[in-house]
Amino acid sequence: MDPMEALVRSAVQAWTVQVERGEKRFGGLTDEQLLVSVAPGRNRLVYLWGHLIAVSDDMLPLLGLGERSYPELEAVFIRQPDRAMEQVPSQADLQRWWTDVHGRLAAGFATWAAQDWMGKHTRVSDDDFVANPLRNRLSVLLSRTSHMAYHLGQSALAS
Amino acid sequence: MDPMEALVRSAVQAWTVQVERGEKRFGGLTDEQLLVSVAPGRNRLVYLWGHLIAVSDDMLPLLGLGERSYPELEAVFIRQPDRAMEQVPSQADLQRWWTDVHGRLAAGFATWAAQDWMGKHTRVSDDDFVANPLRNRLSVLLSRTSHMAYHLGQSALAS
């Protein structure tokens, strides 16, 4: 395998591991189980799941893979804290959104050559990218991988 | 910047971000604050910090960067759950271990060319590595980055 290809595949694999863990954590829950908090007074599972979906959805435009599927999630799961939402989404809806967004990301990644990961993400200017070539698509993937792991660690505390 | 160099630097940066967040989370705590649990009945901060140090220390032999500095931490912070330890280490000791281990890792990484990250880690056989070239040093770094983020997410819940 070409070394650069292997590097990129290692990073995509690290992302995929977290997505699979998210699926395992949230996929089989009931609507009631989603209302459990990870610790007293802290976020509920439903909020963490919605938050992860909203952040992944935003990776689509950030990486140049198209528009978001569910732009309305940003207001509820990123800009607002938990317990501010008027209506809690059902597990079935969240599951559908989760599957759709991560399917779109995986399909997009599958079309890229290793070199494409070194391209700039869409929220950095040409000048800033020249000054800091680490503001590339791969860095976005890596930071979102850590972000998902961070909240999965919290989600594991709810029982 | 050479594309492969940029890829590797992006990954090392993602790791360094987590190490810096760990420093920020645990670095300024008192011995008493380290005894706070992240949720009722869950791990205390002292255990999570020791666990992260023990896992990072083990990266040294795993990546071929030398022997562990503190092999005795494995029994206490990896093989045993929290609250099984006879004596809780002081914040000052944990701080010293944390700084030493992550300093050794950073110094080792600084000596590697991008290509070195594609080499196999020390716990995969030559045959298995040929069959799966993703069992490389970079994959170890990425999985440990996610592992640290996972526990930092939990640590953030303790107040």
Side-chain angles (χ1 to χ4, degrees):
Chain A
M1 192 184 296
D2 169 69
M4 204 163 134
E5 174 80 18
L7 280 174
V8 163
R9 280 216 218 167
S10 295
V12 174
Q13 181 178 260
W15 163 256
T16 306
V17 164
Q18 297 306 316
V19 173
E20 287 170 354
R21 287 184 185 168
E23 175 66 35
K24 201 169 167 183
R25 180 66 186 102
F26 298 110
L29 298 182
T30 64
D31 289 334
E32 287 68 36
Q33 286 172 321
L34 281 175
L35 301 181
V36 175
S37 301
V38 301
R42 301 297 188 170
N43 289 326
R44 296 173 296 177
L45 291 176
V46 68
Y47 183 83
L48 289 180
W49 199 15
H51 177 69
L52 291 174
I53 295 166
V55 169
S56 291
D57 196 25
D58 183 59
M59 290 169 68
L60 291 161
L62 182 54
L63 294 171
L65 289 171
E67 295 300 310
R68 289 180 290 181
S69 288
Y70 312 103
E72 66 279 10
L73 297 183
E74 180 182 344
V76 182
F77 292 106
I78 296 181
R79 299 202 180 276
Q80 286 184 347
D82 191 12
R83 297 183 178 81
M85 60 186 101
E86 291 182 22
Q87 196 172 356
V88 175
S90 68
Q91 202 277 348
D93 279 344
L94 287 156
Q95 178 69 65
R96 189 164 46 82
W97 303 338
W98 169 271
T99 302
D100 173 45
V101 164
H102 293 105
R104 285 185 63 197
L105 287 169
F109 299 164
T111 68
W112 285 353
Q115 193 75 30
D116 292 324
W117 284 99
M118 297 318 306
K120 77 182 189 70
H121 65 70
T122 61
R123 291 178 199 149
V124 61
S125 71
D126 290 341
D127 285 353
D128 287 349
F129 186 59
V130 168
N132 184 359
L134 297 195
R135 299 181 72 171
N136 54 47
R137 289 160 155 176
L138 191 86
S139 290
V140 170
L141 183 75
L142 295 173
S143 83
R144 294 306 181 277
T145 301
S146 291
H147 176 260
M148 191 175 290
Y150 182 94
H151 289 302
L152 288 177
Q154 298 175 331
S155 303
L157 298 173
S159 54
Chain B
M1 191 184 296
D2 169 67
M4 202 163 136
E5 174 81 18
L7 280 174
V8 163
R9 280 216 218 167
S10 294
V12 173
Q13 181 179 260
W15 163 256
T16 306
V17 164
Q18 297 306 315
V19 173
E20 287 170 354
R21 288 184 183 167
E23 175 66 35
K24 201 168 168 185
R25 179 67 187 100
F26 298 110
L29 299 182
T30 64
D31 288 334
E32 288 67 36
Q33 287 173 319
L34 281 175
L35 300 182
V36 174
S37 301
V38 300
R42 301 296 188 171
N43 290 325
R44 296 173 296 177
L45 291 176
V46 67
Y47 183 81
L48 289 181
W49 200 16
H51 177 69
L52 290 175
I53 295 166
V55 169
S56 291
D57 196 26
D58 183 60
M59 289 169 68
L60 292 160
L62 182 54
L63 294 172
L65 289 171
E67 296 299 310
R68 289 180 289 182
S69 288
Y70 312 103
E72 66 280 9
L73 297 183
E74 181 183 342
V76 182
F77 291 105
I78 296 181
R79 299 199 179 278
Q80 285 184 347
D82 192 11
R83 298 183 176 82
M85 60 185 100
E86 292 182 19
Q87 196 171 357
V88 174
S90 68
Q91 202 277 348
D93 279 345
L94 285 156
Q95 179 69 65
R96 188 164 47 82
W97 303 338
W98 169 271
T99 302
D100 173 46
V101 165
H102 293 105
R104 286 186 62 196
L105 286 169
F109 299 164
T111 67
W112 287 352
Q115 192 75 31
D116 292 324
W117 283 99
M118 297 317 307
K120 76 183 190 72
H121 65 68
T122 61
R123 290 179 199 148
V124 60
S125 71
D126 290 341
D127 285 353
D128 288 348
F129 186 58
V130 169
N132 185 359
L134 297 195
R135 299 181 71 171
N136 54 47
R137 287 161 157 175
L138 190 86
S139 290
V140 169
L141 183 76
L142 295 172
S143 83
R144 295 305 183 275
T145 301
S146 291
H147 175 260
M148 191 175 289
Y150 183 94
H151 289 302
L152 288 178
Q154 298 176 332
S155 302
L157 299 173
S159 54

